[in-house]
Amino acid sequence: MDGSAIAARRDLAVRAAVEQGLVTEDRHPIAALLDVRAIREAAHALRTAFENVAAPGQDVLHTFAVKAASLVPVLRLLADEGIGCEVASPGELALARAAGVPAAQTVLDSPAKTVSELREALTLGIALNADNPSELARLDELIDPDLPSPSPVGLRVNPQIGGGSIGAMSTATATSKFGVALDDPGAREWVVRAYRERPWLTRLHSHVGSQGMPLELMAEGARATYELAEEINAAVGRRQVDTLDLGGGLPVNFDSDEITPSFDEYARLLAAAVPGLFDGRYGIVTEFGRALLAKAGTVLARVEYAKSAGGRSIAVTHAGAQIAVRTVFTPEAWPLRVAAYDAAGEPKTADGPGGTVVQDVAGPCCFAGDLVARERPLPRLGEGDYAALLDTGAYYFSNPFGYNSLPRPGIYGFTVTGARDEPAADGAGGEVRFVPVREPQSLADIVADSGGEQRDALREE
Ligand SMILES: *Cc1c(COP(=O)(O)O)cnc(C)c1O
């Protein structure tokens, strides 16, 4: 799918952000921009993709993996688009509730749920997926087998189909920490027995994908999950497993503006590989994160200095590890595109006055490896210019790293309106309106977050 409209709106938003003072020299040299329309379009693409392959009337619940953009207004926007929340901690559940996401559209997954978290989910009627036998044993204490379960409950399994290109993102390796490892000796029989003994266990969960995972392998994970559900239902003699939770993990293209793979491609592949998923016998839950938000976000940072060292050109910007943790610490796995803008917020081009230079783009943190791009040919970045980190709507500005007491930047949602208040598809000539999604962290906030109130706590009496 073509993302050039997003790119056109991004250029307009950058210029407007500079003009409207969202990135200012002294206090806020970095800001994050979120394209509201791009989020809505991604949500729409996801819904449509599954509607196209689902049986008439089949229950399909899409949830958003909150960790990918843990921002209440984003969760609220997605809820308006019919997308619920997948949460994995008490904090994420609190965000989903603050956003007004109904319990029936919330799913709790986490490998380390405490008893009180389990109890809270059951009290609220929030669906949850148990990770392991010990967690099921805890649930045995909390759920009355003679009554209908207060929440839909599933078990997470790991079909051990193998990993993708990023080890840390691979959830379905033989030794992954997640779920019940299905091919381990005796595991399958144990799973079937666990369902037989617990009539309230009605869902089956797996999340095998993430960045770097081939779609075919994701479909294989879905097939393994489906086949296990069929096996369980055959063994217990009724359709006890009524819902399959297929996880998230659609990879995102970080190389260009093209939106690929698309939700549509994935849904069609699933339908072809596992037709039984969409014949209407099972409800379906999905949990996409990155693919819903990544393309909608841009980090915009001032270039503070341009320097050279040992023959290397370095642009020192205000975007580094505090905002791009994964890119800085594992650059091969998480490369980001960097776009260059001049001091007025206009795109800098390769044939512009400064030409193209191979340069490193560095951040503000005090360690040598704080680089978001290395030896990258880019229009020459100079003092007062801006560097934009593209496709950063998921897992970047919403997951900051508190290094050097650098503040969390402000996040601004934007819409582009045309002449008659109509959204201009290509963004051409549009006006950009920003709304704050999260205010920039103030110096007073930083002091308070750093024990400011406890100043004398360690002094001798
Ligand atoms: C992180 C996570 C997701 C979302 O993964 P993405 O790669 O962001 O789509 C979905 N389900 C579970 C259980 C997760 O942990």
Side-chain angles (χ1 to χ4, degrees), residues 400-424:
F401 173 38
Y403 200 84
N404 275 146
S405 296
L406 287 159
R408 293 188 292 267
I411 302 174
Y412 305 89
F414 69 85
T415 46
V416 179
T417 51
R420 296 174 305 283
D421 278 356
E422 290 285 315

Side-chain angles (χ1 to χ4, degrees), residues 46-398:
L46 170 59
R47 283 198 326 262
T48 311
F50 278 76
E51 278 161 18
N52 286 341
V53 295
Q58 184 171 13
D59 263 346
V60 179
L61 171 66
H62 298 294
T63 64
F64 173 65
V66 169
K67 69 177 184 287
S70 38
L71 298 161
V72 173
V74 168
L75 306 183
R76 182 64 247 169
L77 173 67
L78 289 169
D80 281 352
E81 292 292 331
I83 294 186
C85 283
E86 185 264 352
V87 299
S89 73
E92 289 183 357
L93 175 55
L95 297 185
R97 298 186 73 201
V101 176
Q105 289 168 28
T106 305
V107 177
L108 171 66
D109 296 324
S110 144
K113 302 179 206 76
T114 63
V115 171
S116 46
E117 275 180 86
L118 294 172
R119 193 175 283 126
E120 184 185 20
L122 292 170
T123 306
L124 295 169
I126 283 168
L128 62 105
N129 291 306
D131 180 83
N132 57 63
S134 311
E135 191 179 338
L136 271 192
R138 290 183 180 184
L139 287 167
D140 285 334
E141 302 296 312
L142 299 172
I143 296 175
D144 184 339
D146 298 325
L147 294 176
S149 173
S151 298
V153 181
L155 178 69
R156 178 166 182 169
V157 294
N158 170 10
Q160 291 166 298
I161 49 164
S165 63
I166 308 177
M169 294 291 113
S170 296
T171 52
T173 58
T175 55
S176 159
K177 76 172 185 180
F178 294 112
V180 176
L182 267 189
D183 286 341
D184 283 8
R188 238 183 144 82
E189 299 69 29
W190 178 84
V191 169
V192 172
R193 200 168 61 242
Y195 277 79
R196 198 198 303 278
E197 290 166 356
R198 295 173 183 81
W200 42 266
L201 210 42
T202 54
R203 291 187 172 190
L204 192 60
H205 177 224
S206 73
H207 166 62
V208 304
S210 202
Q211 192 64 22
M213 195 73 170
L215 290 196
E216 292 70 25
L217 218 48
M218 290 176 63
E220 213 177 292
R223 181 181 32 230
T225 310
Y226 166 81
E227 283 171 357
L228 177 61
E230 293 283 281
E231 184 181 330
I232 294 167
N233 286 345
V236 302
R238 64 185 186 99
R239 302 208 60 74
Q240 180 173 330
V241 178
D242 59 19
T243 300
L244 301 175
D245 184 336
L246 301 176
L250 194 68
V252 164
N253 168 28
F254 287 99
D255 290 336
S256 74
D257 285 316
E258 204 191 337
I259 299 171
T260 180
S262 65
F263 288 120
D264 191 60
E265 231 175 301
Y266 180 50
R268 285 183 198 286
L269 176 67
L270 274 183
V274 203
L277 283 179
F278 298 111
D279 62 13
R281 287 173 305 141
Y282 291 98
I284 301 288
V285 178
T286 74
E287 311 168 338
F288 294 99
R290 184 175 293 105
L292 277 166
L293 257 291
K295 290 282 173 192
T298 303
V299 168
L300 185 61
R302 258 175 63 90
V303 178
E304 199 58 55
Y305 297 104
K307 57 192 283 189
S308 122
R312 201 164 73 143
S313 294
I314 307 167
V316 180
T317 79
H318 286 276
Q322 92 279 24
I323 207 76
V325 191
R326 281 178 172 159
T327 298
V328 167
F329 289 109
T330 46
E332 315 74 34
W334 300 102
L336 281 178
R337 287 188 294 154
V338 177
Y341 293 87
D342 68 17
E346 297 291 346
K348 291 188 98 164
T349 52
D351 51 9
T356 292
V357 186
V358 174
Q359 46 199 313
D360 285 6
V361 182
C365 299
C366 295
F367 64 96
D370 188 32
L371 302 169
V372 293
R374 293 160 203 251
E375 296 177 12
R376 185 80 59 88
L378 284 173
R380 182 188 292 279
L381 284 165
E383 192 173 323
D385 287 343
Y386 294 91
L389 309 185
L390 310 187
D391 310 319
T392 46
Y395 299 104
Y396 282 90
F397 41 77
S398 54

